[in-house]
């Protein structure tokens, strides 16, 4: 069956075809975005380091651990390095300008996270200066911060008693080599936070949010995790130690079963678009009933007319769905910047593109199969007598 | 005497309508010679169109045999019938039945898609067929841009483009005005007289039937009479 007949039949009603193709484009774009969000949530789990353990309070992530635990953790056999992480939760000028900030141990951080690559500025300055920070290049680009710039952050969780914002200096800018660390975070010296609070110049929770442990080569992570939890069995705060992957998975689950929710929305969208496309194809097939009779009378086989109808559906879906997928891919980098804070690691992956392409073809197939089968089984005479 | 192209032997066809069996063709025997222009006449319900459909392989008899050019087509399955139609039959319908989204040339090219021809060969043959029916200047027009007479001439070009053994025309002038009808009948006559095509035309119109060399009358599914004559000018 010539492509021209397939295309001409399909675009016999250009507005209808265009609207259906546009619906498919929107649906597939949305599906790619939703799928990419799920992938972004999962990226921390998939790319977690195998040699890092996270120690948190067994009560909740929001219950802080005593600072004194650090030395005890460092003494456990199999632990090579310990790093404190405290969520700061500030914002730049306006609550809308939010990005992740952590008070941490600069030296331990850079030792334990080789994926953090300093692309400009001074590592030494970050280690040495109390107000220095290491800033992800995504956030630096977004707000136009350069190495040496000073900028304020208004503390939400840790508020200064004088009502002034916290002051930071960009000592270095980093780029992450792995998606286990995003490109938007600000790291600063834990001492800056701790000393300010101790001096009574700021308020906020005392202690440490989590400890990250780096395992010594050959250390058994299960044994080390058990040893940590056993050590603090008697308090004052009991701990829960997990691998980085387990911790990230638990963190994602705290905001609910987002993958299920997002997949449900995507599934609903796909069913709706399948029904809409099926409706279009049924209308198109009904209008072509007599043409089917003519083609069969001229000697075209039942298989040919089946192919004609099915090809129209596939062509419509590939045109519309392909446009949606292309739009999702092209807008990917822009979306990654926009969603960087909430969904670091947002990317329209090859897997997402493949899934969307398979879905597009599946919609085309299922929307076209009913009219195609009807056309295939229709007798020449009844098709020619049709008044459609 | 021309050789027999079509032979019907005890052909019977019954339809069931509203729970009632209706015998449309009743033990019909008929022979038709090659290169002859036949008109098939009879009152409504006499079985004319059913017979035409049988001869074109669009429908099957309940019993009996239909032998065309030495082949018994009653034993063919759907795929075989489709192949046989493509090679042997050209159809001209009352309602023209052109594909509305295709141009005149594309419509005429359609049956050639089933033949092992290059795109260029298809195009040349379609253009030649359109030339034969006098529509060289309407090749790129779509059916909606043509008059009824022109549409029917495109349909005739489509019917002859594969050089079929048999042309079957079902009320080809039924939807046309007088002058267009005359032009179509003249064209069919020319195809028969100059190209030697065997034509079987179903018609209600005695005036149209006058173009034929043989008029076959059907009545209640049975052969009424066969009238052999010298075709007249339309």
């Amino acid at each position: 069956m010539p492509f021209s007949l397939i295309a001409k039949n399909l675009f016999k009603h250009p507005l209808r075809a265009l609207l259906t193709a546009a619906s498919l484009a929107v649906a597939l774009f949305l599906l790619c975005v939703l799928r990419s969000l799920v992938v972004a949530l999962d990226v921390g789990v998939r790319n977690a380091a195998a040699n890092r353990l996270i120690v948190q309070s067994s009560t909740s992530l929001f219950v802080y651990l005593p600072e004194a635990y650090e030395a005890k953790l460092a003494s456990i056999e199999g632990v090579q390095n310990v790093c404190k992480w405290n969520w700061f939760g500030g914002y730049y000028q306006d609550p809308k300008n939010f990005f992740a900030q952590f008070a941490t141990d600069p030296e331990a951080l850079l030792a334990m996270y080789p994926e953090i690559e300093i692309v400009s500025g001074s590592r030494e300055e970050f280690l040495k200066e109390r107000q220095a920070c290491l800033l992800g290049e995504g956030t630096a680009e977004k707000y136009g911060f350069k190495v040496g710039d000073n900028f304020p952050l208004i503390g939400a969780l840790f508020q200064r008693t004088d009502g002034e914002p916290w002051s930071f200096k960009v000592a270095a800018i980093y780029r992450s080599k792995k998606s286990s660390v995003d490109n938007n975070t600000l790291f600063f010296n834990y001492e800056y936070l701790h000393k300010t609070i101790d001096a009574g110049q700021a308020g906020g929770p005392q202690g440490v949010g989590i400890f990250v442990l780096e395992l010594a080569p050959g250390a058994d992570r299960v044994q080390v995790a058990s040893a940590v939890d056993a050590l603090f069995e008697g308090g004052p705060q009991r701990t829960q130690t997990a691998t980085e992957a387990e911790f990230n998975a638990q963190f994602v689950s705290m905001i609910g079963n987002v993958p299920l929710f997002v997949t449900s929305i995507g599934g609903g969208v796909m069913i709706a678009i399948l029904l809409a496309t099926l409706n279009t194809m049924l209308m198109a097939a009904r209008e072509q009933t007599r043409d089917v009779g003519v083609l069969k009378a001229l000697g075209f086989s039942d298989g040919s007319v089946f192919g004609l109808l099915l090809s129209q559906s596939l062509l419509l879906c590939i045109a519309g769905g392909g446009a949606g997928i292309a739009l999702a891919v092209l807008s990917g980098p822009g979306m990654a910047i926009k969603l960087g804070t909430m969904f670091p690691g947002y990317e329209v992956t090859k897997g997402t593109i493949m899934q969307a392409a398979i879905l597009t073809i599946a919609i085309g197939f299922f929307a076209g199969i009913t009219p195609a089968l009807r056309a295939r089984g229709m007798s020449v005479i009844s098709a020619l007598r049709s008044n459609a | 005497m021309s050789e027999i192209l079509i032979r019907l032997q005890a052909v019977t066809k019954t339809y069931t309508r509203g729970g009632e069996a209706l015998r449309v063709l009743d033990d019909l025997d008929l022979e038709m010679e090659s290169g002859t222009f036949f008109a098939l006449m009879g009152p409504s319900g006499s079985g004319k169109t059913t017979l035409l459909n049988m001869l074109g392989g669009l429908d099957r008899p309940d019993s009996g045999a239909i032998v065309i050019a030495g082949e018994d087509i009653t034993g063919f399955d759907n795929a075989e019938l489709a192949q046989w139609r493509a090679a042997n039959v050209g159809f001209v319908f009352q309602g023209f039945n052109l594909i509305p989204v295709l141009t005149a040339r594309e419509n005429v090219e359609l049956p050639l898609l089933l033949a092992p021809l290059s795109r260029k060969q298809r195009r040349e043959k379609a253009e030649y067929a359109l030339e034969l029916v006098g529509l060289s200047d309407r090749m790129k027009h779509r059916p909606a841009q043509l008059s009824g007479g022109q549409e029917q001439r495109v349909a005739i070009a489509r019917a002859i483009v594969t050089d079929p053994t048999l042309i079957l025309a079902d009320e080809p002038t039924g939807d046309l005005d007088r002058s267009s009808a005359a032009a179509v009948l003249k064209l069919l006559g020319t195809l028969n007289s100059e190209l030697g095509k065997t034509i079987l035309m179903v018609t209600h119109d005695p005036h149209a039937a006058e173009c034929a060399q043989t008029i076959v009358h059907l009545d209640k599914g049975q052969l009424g009479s066969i009238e052999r004559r010298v075709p007249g000018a339309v």
Side-chain angles (χ1 to χ4, degrees):
Chain A
M1 191 60 62
F3 180 78
S4 64
L5 182 57
I6 295 166
K8 283 178 178 179
N9 266 326
L10 184 59
F11 292 102
K12 189 175 171 183
H13 295 284
L15 183 63
R16 185 175 71 194
L18 276 173
L19 288 174
T20 309
S23 309
L24 278 156
V26 170
L28 266 297
F29 170 76
L30 187 61
L31 188 88
C32 285
V33 170
L34 291 174
R35 182 70 205 146
S36 299
L37 293 179
V38 173
V39 170
L41 286 173
D42 197 40
V43 81
V45 178
R46 282 186 287 112
N47 292 320
N51 67 336
R52 293 195 290 252
L53 295 178
I54 314 293
V55 183
Q56 65 167 91
S57 162
S58 66
T59 310
S60 159
L61 189 57
F62 303 104
V63 174
Y64 282 61
L65 296 171
E67 269 180 52
Y69 278 18
E70 185 176 8
K72 292 178 182 174
L73 286 167
S75 69
I76 293 173
E77 192 180 339
V79 174
Q80 182 170 283
N81 223 331
V82 182
C83 182
K84 299 188 283 294
W85 280 59
N86 257 28
W87 175 252
F88 183 68
Y91 58 86
Y92 174 61
Q93 293 178 338
D94 188 285
K96 281 189 300 185
N97 300 332
F98 173 81
F99 50 92
Q101 306 116 23
F102 289 98
T104 184
D105 301 316
E107 196 151 0
L109 177 82
L110 294 177
M112 291 168 64
Y113 289 84
E115 57 266 52
I116 294 177
E117 180 189 24
I118 292 177
V119 290
S120 62
S122 162
R123 171 191 168 95
E124 286 66 36
E125 199 166 322
F126 173 52
L127 299 178
K128 192 176 64 187
E129 286 196 23
R130 247 175 70 180
Q131 293 186 357
C133 71
L134 175 63
L135 190 59
E137 65 175 357
T139 301
E141 272 175 34
K142 185 174 179 181
Y143 298 108
F145 296 149
K146 295 184 293 295
V147 172
D149 282 356
N150 288 290
F151 65 93
L153 280 183
I154 297 164
L157 190 57
F158 299 95
Q159 294 182 349
R160 292 184 66 97
T161 50
D162 58 8
E164 291 296 310
W166 295 72
S167 180
F168 293 93
K169 183 182 179 186
V170 182
I173 290 172
Y174 78 87
R175 179 184 300 147
S176 176
K177 290 187 278 188
K178 271 180 73 183
S179 45
S180 50
V181 175
D182 68 60
N183 278 323
N184 302 306
T185 303
L186 179 150
F187 298 102
F188 68 97
N189 199 324
Y190 178 83
E191 290 301 309
Y192 180 31
L193 177 68
H194 175 69
K195 299 276 190 210
T196 308
I197 294 171
D198 276 1
Q201 292 168 347
Q206 298 281 342
V208 178
I210 57 169
F211 290 99
V212 180
L213 311 182
E214 185 183 30
L215 298 175
D220 185 322
R221 55 188 172 182
V222 178
Q223 273 182 7
V224 173
S226 302
V228 170
D229 292 341
L231 181 63
F232 301 113
E233 183 68 28
Q237 273 294 333
R238 293 170 68 185
T239 59
Q240 178 184 306
T241 307
T243 61
E244 193 172 275
E246 287 166 346
F247 176 81
N248 289 343
Q250 174 204 328
F251 189 78
V252 169
S253 71
M254 280 168 59
I255 49 175
N257 197 340
V258 176
L260 178 67
F261 180 65
V262 167
T263 306
S264 303
I265 294 173
V269 169
M270 285 301 106
I271 289 169
I273 201 66
L274 171 64
L275 294 176
T277 311
L278 176 62
N279 186 43
T280 298
M281 289 317 302
L282 285 171
M283 281 197 284
R286 200 175 306 121
E287 288 160 6
Q288 291 169 51
T289 305
R290 187 173 289 192
D291 296 355
V292 164
V294 173
L295 288 171
K296 285 190 175 187
L298 294 179
F300 285 87
S301 64
D302 293 342
S304 297
V305 295
F306 175 86
L308 172 71
L309 272 293
L310 188 60
S311 301
Q312 286 176 42
S313 177
L314 286 170
L315 180 63
L316 179 67
C317 289
I318 289 169
I325 295 169
L327 190 62
V329 171
L330 292 174
S331 65
M335 295 279 282
I337 292 170
K338 285 273 179 201
L339 298 170
T341 306
M342 289 292 290
F343 296 94
Y346 177 92
E347 184 193 355
V348 184
T349 62
K350 281 182 187 167
T352 299
I353 294 168
M354 192 61 75
Q355 281 182 11
I358 290 169
L359 258 173
T360 299
I361 292 167
I363 290 170
F365 179 79
F366 286 112
I369 191 77
T370 305
L373 282 173
R374 276 173 54 178
R376 183 175 181 271
M378 192 174 282
S379 81
V380 187
I381 293 170
S382 54
L384 287 173
R385 281 183 187 151
S386 156
N387 291 321
Chain B
M1 185 75 177
S2 302
E3 62 181 282
I4 300 298
L5 178 69
I6 301 168
R7 179 171 284 123
L8 281 81
Q9 294 169 329
V11 170
T12 299
K13 180 72 179 178
T14 304
Y15 290 117
T16 306
R17 289 208 181 112
E20 197 177 322
L22 188 68
R23 182 161 284 202
V24 185
L25 292 178
D26 188 5
D27 207 21
L28 184 67
D29 291 309
L30 183 65
E31 289 185 345
M32 296 180 174
E33 302 85 15
S34 174
T36 307
F37 190 161
F38 292 90
L40 193 55
M41 296 192 73
S44 291
S46 60
K48 304 183 299 293
T49 297
T50 302
L51 177 58
L52 194 83
N53 289 339
M54 301 265 176
L55 293 175
L58 302 179
D59 203 355
R60 288 192 173 86
D62 297 331
S63 61
I66 300 172
V67 180
I68 299 176
E71 285 189 287
D72 183 356
I73 65 167
T74 48
F76 288 178
D77 63 22
N78 278 353
E80 288 168 333
L81 270 179
Q83 278 181 3
W84 177 81
R85 280 198 301 271
N88 295 286
V89 187
F91 287 98
V92 180
F93 302 99
Q94 179 178 355
F96 324 133
N97 282 345
L98 299 175
I99 306 285
V101 294
L102 300 180
T103 63
R105 188 178 61 205
E106 288 168 336
N107 265 289
V108 178
E109 266 188 65
L110 262 183
L112 297 173
L113 292 169
L114 300 165
L117 296 172
S118 69
R119 188 187 172 93
K120 185 168 175 274
Q121 286 171 317
R122 286 202 307 265
R123 179 167 288 202
E124 283 170 358
K125 278 179 175 282
E127 288 177 358
Y128 178 63
L130 282 166
E131 247 178 70
L132 278 180
V133 299
L135 287 175
S136 298
D137 56 341
R138 293 287 187 275
M139 290 189 189
K140 291 181 180 170
H141 288 63
R142 289 191 177 185
Q145 297 165 318
L146 299 171
S147 69
Q150 288 172 330
E151 279 195 82
Q152 195 58 300
R153 281 193 280 158
V154 173
I156 291 171
R158 183 179 65 186
I160 61 171
V161 74
T162 54
D163 192 21
T165 316
L166 179 63
I167 294 173
L168 299 174
D170 190 1
E171 300 273 11
T173 58
D175 283 0
L176 300 179
D177 60 48
R178 208 172 191 171
S179 66
S180 298
V184 164
L185 290 170
K186 188 177 173 191
L187 182 57
L188 290 173
T190 305
L191 292 174
N192 170 250
S193 60
E194 293 185 14
L195 301 178
K197 294 291 167 197
T198 307
I199 299 172
L200 178 59
M201 175 178 71
V202 166
T203 184
H204 274 107
D205 180 3
H207 184 64
E210 283 176 12
C211 299
Q213 294 150 343
T214 302
I215 302 175
V216 177
H217 292 271
L218 283 185
D219 190 19
K220 294 177 184 170
Q222 293 182 320
L223 190 61
S225 63
I226 297 179
E227 190 183 333
R228 297 187 193 279
R229 54 189 304 286
V230 176
V234 180

